[in-house]
Structures are given as structure tokens and as C-alpha cells.
Amino acid sequence: MDEKKILAEQFEANRARLRAVAYRMLGSTAEADDAVQETWLRLSRTEAAAVDNLGGWLTTVIARICLDILRSRKSRREEPIGPHVPEPVADHASERETEMADNVGAALLVVLQTLAPAERLAFVLHDMFAVPFEEIAPIVGRTPAAARQLASRARRRVQGAPPAPDADFSRQRGIVEAFLAASRNGDFEGLLAVLAPDVVVRADQAAQRLGSLPEIRGAAVVAKTFKGRAQSAKPALVDGEIGVAVILEGQLRIVLRVTMAGDRIATIDAVADPEQIETFDVEVLDRD
């Protein structure tokens, strides 16, 4: 039997598991099938003899493909099957497809779609497929301990069934972008326009060592503090919510977690502790 045929048979033996991983990650049977097909294409271009553990290799590859898809959705704030609604199995689906969807549960898929991509991957791989955190960590670019924290945070959200994120994401992003633009341009009045009168800025100890005060209160004081700054700051998703990433020399150095009160920024929490930052799922939002 030729090597290509053997490889195809080994892949087919793993297909059902790969499709189950992809479906739980993506909530779409069509996208799950696409992810499985892409995994096969990557395997077919790989020197199979160099793969010691084919099952683990395939799981890693399909997880990375799904993670890329999820991050792409988040950066555009798009869901291919509607906001937080998992794709139902079609009427003509096979019995196996229907059973797969029933086993996952529509309610669980709805909650999974509220998670940040790295949280979702860590939770799905570990809690549903018993993949060790040592194997999950390199997929999400974290340490095993950080991967464990991602899964733990996801598990709490799943068990608590939190409400869906704020639907008015574009408005919040616009406020953060206006804040950063005013800060960079030294526009004091522009800063005041997007800050709540009683805005509070807090800094962790690592940020304080970089020169931040532990706490700043009041729009005028905060505007004065940020005036002329934010040169290296970009709007970002922080654990699925709007925030700011400060990139210095190509590295993420500070994360600003932002909360809103209406159309103004109410609080800013500056986090510069590398270990804490490592637990966040941060995606920089660049304009196309």
C-alpha cells in the first residue's frame, strides 16, 4: 500500500474527532468541514515520517486554523451565522451530524461564542477533548499556566451563562479611537469630550514603576495626564471587550482595560505586569 494511501486512511480515522473539535470551536458545520479539509491539505504537504504523534499533530493544526477564523471574526466583529446564534444542522443532515449537534447543545454553543478566541480554544480542547495544557499553550502562544487560566475563566463564564457582550461595539470602538486620537494630538478639549466627569484611571504596580500614578480622578486631571501621549497605543479587543494595547518595540507592554458610561469613558485600568498581560486575550484592531 502506498504511503499516500496509508496517510489518507490515518486521516480518515481521525476525521470525526477533528470535525467535532472544529464544530465546537466554530459553531458552523460548513466552517468545520472547511477546517477539516484545510487540515488534510496541510497534512498532504507535510513529510508524514517527521510526525511522531499524528493525532496530536492534527489536533494542533485544526485548532490553529479555527483560532485564526475566530480571531478574524472578532477583529471584524462579524459572525457568519448571525450574532451569537450557532448554525443549526440542516434538515438533510446525516444522523451522525444531528447527533453531534445534539450532544454539543445549542445553548452551550451560544455561550461559547461569547468567549474570546483563546478562551474558547483552551476550554474546548481541555474540557471537551482532554488535551493537556502543555499542548494547548503553544497553540495560543501562552505558558501552560496561562492556558489553564484561560480555560478556567471560560469555564466560569460557561457555568454562569453571562449576558452577551455589548452589541454597540462600533460605538465603543469609535469612542476609544477618538480618545487615542485626541491624546496623540494633544487635544485637551477632545479628551474632555470622551471622558466622563468622574472618570477614574488606575495603574497596577508595574505601570506605576513606568511612571503612572496609582490612581487619577476627574476628567480634567485625566485629560491633562493623557494629553500628548498614546503615540504607541492602538484600540484592541481585550478578552473580547474594547480596550487599548500599548506596543513598544514590537512588544505588548501595557493593556488599558476600558469601561464606558454612555458615550464616555468611565474607568481605565492600566496593566503592565507581564504575567497578568499574558493571561489576557489581546487582539489589536487596525483599520483596513
Side-chain angles (χ1 to χ4, degrees):
M1 187 179 296
D2 92 14
E3 183 178 334
K4 194 75 172 178
K5 188 172 182 181
I6 293 173
L7 192 64
E9 289 184 350
Q10 292 175 328
F11 181 81
E12 287 303 318
N14 284 275
R15 179 183 288 273
R17 184 173 189 272
L18 296 175
R19 193 165 187 266
V21 170
Y23 181 67
R24 285 158 175 80
M25 287 286 293
L26 302 172
S28 163
T29 55
E31 284 191 314
D33 286 338
D34 289 345
V36 171
Q37 181 62 21
E38 176 62 23
T39 303
W40 163 248
L41 292 175
R42 294 189 188 186
L43 176 62
S44 67
R45 297 192 294 263
T46 299
E47 181 59 50
V51 179
D52 294 329
N53 177 1
L54 183 62
W57 187 92
L58 291 170
T59 299
T60 297
V61 170
I62 201 164
R64 284 178 171 153
I65 291 168
C66 291
L67 187 60
D68 287 343
I69 293 171
L70 289 174
R71 284 175 169 164
S72 177
R73 285 186 197 171
K74 288 288 187 182
S75 65
R76 298 190 308 270
R77 210 59 179 181
E78 294 175 358
E79 296 289 350
I81 48 181
H84 313 299
V85 180
E87 178 181 290
V89 175
D91 292 340
H92 60 272
S94 68
E95 182 178 342
R96 182 171 61 84
E97 288 176 322
T98 304
E99 181 181 358
M100 178 178 69
D102 288 344
N103 287 342
V104 178
L108 176 57
L109 285 174
V110 169
V111 178
L112 286 177
Q113 289 188 43
T114 70
L115 303 177
E119 289 178 339
R120 186 167 180 170
L121 185 143
F123 175 78
V124 167
L125 290 186
H126 182 266
D127 286 41
M128 296 184 175
F129 294 94
V131 177
F133 288 116
E134 288 74 16
E135 295 178 23
I136 295 171
I139 300 175
V140 294
R142 311 290 177 87
T143 64
R148 183 185 299 275
Q149 290 182 329
L150 286 172
S152 177
R153 187 162 62 230
R155 195 177 304 117
R156 288 195 299 271
R157 293 187 182 184
V158 168
Q159 292 170 348
D166 189 343
D168 197 6
F169 172 81
S170 295
R171 177 182 60 83
Q172 292 189 355
R173 178 173 177 174
I175 294 168
V176 167
E177 289 178 337
F179 168 76
L180 294 179
S183 176
R184 281 192 292 268
N185 296 330
D187 182 358
F188 184 78
E189 294 300 324
L191 284 166
L192 288 179
V194 294
L195 295 172
D198 55 353
V199 61
V200 179
V201 178
R202 304 182 186 90
D204 69 0
Q205 290 186 349
Q208 291 173 41
R209 287 194 291 272
L210 295 175
S212 298
L213 294 174
E215 185 174 288
I216 308 169
R217 289 182 174 270
V221 179
V222 171
K224 183 177 179 180
T225 300
F226 279 91
K227 182 181 175 183
R229 301 179 68 181
Q231 303 301 321
S232 302
K234 295 180 179 291
L237 281 172
V238 181
D239 291 338
E241 299 179 354
I242 192 65
V244 174
V246 179
I247 313 293
L248 298 171
E249 298 179 349
Q251 302 232 347
L252 177 61
R253 300 299 178 128
I254 305 171
V255 171
L256 303 183
R257 306 199 72 160
V258 177
T259 60
M260 306 283 182
D263 290 330
R264 300 198 175 200
I265 295 171
T267 66
I268 299 173
D269 289 291
V271 179
D273 181 350
E275 292 186 3
Q276 183 65 29
I277 288 175
E278 192 176 27
T279 69
F280 297 154
D281 188 67
V282 180
E283 300 170 48
V284 174
L285 301 174
D286 284 320
R287 287 292 184 192
D288 297 330

